[in-house]
Amino acid sequence: MKNVVLLGSTGSIGTSTVKVAEDLPDRIRLLGLAAGNNAELLLEQSRKHRPEAISINNPEKPAIWENSSGRQRRFFPATKA
C-alpha cells in the first residue's frame, strides 16, 4: 500500500490521480488532499477518501469544513506569507 499526499487534487491532473486511486484501492491510499479554491470538490473528495489531512489555499473557504467535514481530520488552511 502506497500512502499518497495529493497536491492540487481538484485540478485536471489531480482529479485523474484520484480516479487512479479509486481504481486501485488496495494499492493507493490518499493520506492527504490539498486544493487551491475548489472547496466543494475537495470536500467531496475528502468525504469519499477520508484522508487524514486536508488543506485549501483560499483562506475564505475553511468555514465550509467546520460544519461539513464529517469526522476528525487535521485541516490546514492557507496562511498569508
Side-chain angles (χ1 to χ4, degrees), residues 23-62:
D23 290 343
L24 302 170
D26 56 328
R27 296 181 65 189
I28 299 173
R29 177 175 178 240
L30 294 175
L31 188 63
L33 297 173
N37 292 308
N38 194 339
E40 291 77 19
L41 181 54
L42 182 61
L43 181 59
E44 179 182 323
Q45 291 172 339
S46 179
R47 285 179 175 157
K48 188 170 188 176
H49 296 283
R50 305 180 64 81
E52 291 184 19
I54 51 179
S55 180
I56 191 159
N57 190 47
N58 187 333
E60 296 175 6
K61 298 291 185 177

